[in-house]
Amino acid sequence: MARRTKRLWTDEEKRSICFQTIVPGVSVAQVARRYSVNANPIFKWLRDPRYAPDRASAPPASEEARFLPVEIVAETRSAPTAPAAENHIGIELAGGHRMRISGSYDPEALARLIRGLTT
């Protein structure tokens, strides 16, 4: 059975941990879990003037990090489009790459370009 040893924190580590508790939206419990320590010693350090952070040095609420909603959806293949309009060509290459050509073009140069892209 492994024996638990008491973790000794330096004064600088205590100041750093205490400073993290004044960030808006962060709780002492969250900081304690981050460092695998019980919240009680952190509360004790916060009462000690040597480690207590200056509330004026806390970042303003407007600079706080925010999570944005994200939705991950399966990739869907688009339905085949209607035939291309006059002077427009759409070519779908291997790997899902698409090429669209508008206006006048040289068919031989286009064929060379496609061969070059597919080899």
Side-chain angles (χ1 to χ4, degrees):
M1 184 168 161
R3 185 170 180 216
R4 292 178 59 180
T5 59
K6 184 176 180 180
R7 170 74 155 102
L8 299 176
W9 301 93
T10 65
D11 289 351
E12 190 56 41
E13 289 173 323
K14 291 176 184 179
R15 277 188 211 91
S16 173
I17 291 170
C18 289
F19 184 75
Q20 293 175 41
T21 64
I22 63 170
V23 175
V26 176
S27 70
V28 173
Q30 289 172 319
V31 175
R33 280 192 300 272
R34 189 177 302 152
Y35 290 96
S36 300
V37 66
N38 193 300
N40 293 333
I42 297 176
F43 282 115
K44 182 180 175 185
W45 299 339
L46 286 168
R47 288 189 302 270
D48 189 330
R50 294 177 294 173
Y51 313 121
D54 179 19
R55 297 278 174 192
S57 63
S62 63
E63 293 180 14
E64 96 181 52
R66 294 185 190 103
F67 286 102
L68 299 176
V70 174
E71 182 178 353
I72 299 174
V73 295
E75 183 178 338
T76 57
R77 303 255 317 146
S78 59
T81 57
E86 190 175 318
N87 291 331
H88 295 281
I89 296 178
I91 302 169
E92 189 163 337
L93 301 170
H97 299 285
R98 293 186 186 137
M99 179 186 302
R100 291 195 177 112
I101 295 96
S102 308
S104 62
Y105 57 90
D106 177 10
E108 303 244 349
L110 180 59
R112 284 193 307 270
L113 175 63
I114 293 171
R115 277 194 298 275
L117 292 172
T118 57
T119 57

